[in-house]
Amino acid sequence: RPIDAQAAEPTPSFFTAGDYQGCISGGRSLVTVPSDDWSPLLWTASLTDEVPLAQAPFVYPDGAPDKKAVFGTSGRTMFDVLGQAESNGTQIPVTDQLRVSVIGDLLYWNAGCVLLTHSANNYGALRQELVNLLGQPTAYDDVDVWQAHLS
């Protein structure tokens, strides 16, 4: 079957103005939300710098005997929590244990920033969950950005 072509979203000024560079200095990665959105891959492909994206979506086997393929990201706590907010707008109460687990994910990815696209499904619920976990973001034209202060 033919695949219908769709126009890509414009690249946010966060990338075109070079603001992303502060997120990836020192070998840090950029964590994009939602995790199964291909847009950040397109936005960063046009840049001269390599932009390491943590948990970029990919196709991988689910490990079951029927060998089904899964499109998405491999299960880290942060994306399990955010996946619920995205799919049905449900907020998960943030506990100290959850916050420690999410910080562990950010350390695992060597994250410099977490970026939420304004076009995400259930953007409001995702944003509020991230505010509960990480505090207030810096708002740009099409994205919200949280610095991952892990040092």
Side-chain angles (χ1 to χ4, degrees):
R1 268 199 216 179
I3 297 174
D4 294 330
Q6 295 178 352
E9 291 180 38
T11 301
S13 65
F14 176 74
F15 291 104
T16 59
D19 294 323
Y20 71 93
Q21 292 172 337
C23 293
I24 63 170
S25 65
R28 300 266 186 191
S29 69
L30 184 62
V31 178
T32 60
V33 177
S35 62
D36 62 354
D37 185 356
W38 287 89
S39 298
L41 292 172
L42 297 173
W43 298 334
T44 59
S46 65
L47 302 172
T48 56
D49 295 330
E50 284 190 34
V51 180
L53 297 176
Q55 280 304 102
F58 60 99
V59 177
Y60 62 97
D62 67 358
D66 60 4
K67 299 182 182 179
K68 288 185 180 176
V70 176
F71 171 79
T73 57
S74 58
R76 301 293 303 186
T77 299
M78 182 173 174
F79 285 123
D80 290 345
V81 169
L82 295 176
Q84 288 189 44
E86 181 185 6
S87 66
N88 58 29
T90 304
Q91 301 280 302
I92 293 181
V94 175
T95 62
D96 289 341
Q97 182 179 351
L98 177 58
R99 191 172 278 113
V100 166
S101 185
V102 167
I103 296 301
D105 290 343
L106 296 175
L107 286 167
Y108 175 82
W109 295 315
N110 193 28
C113 293
V114 175
L115 180 145
L116 171 63
T117 60
H118 289 182
S119 60
N121 290 333
N122 279 322
Y123 163 78
L126 282 166
R127 186 181 190 284
Q128 188 57 55
E129 193 72 62
L130 284 163
V131 166
N132 294 344
L133 287 164
L134 305 174
Q136 291 298 320
T138 301
Y140 291 85
D141 56 352
D142 295 333
V143 298
D144 294 327
V145 178
W146 286 261
Q147 295 287 322
H149 301 286
L150 303 174
S151 322

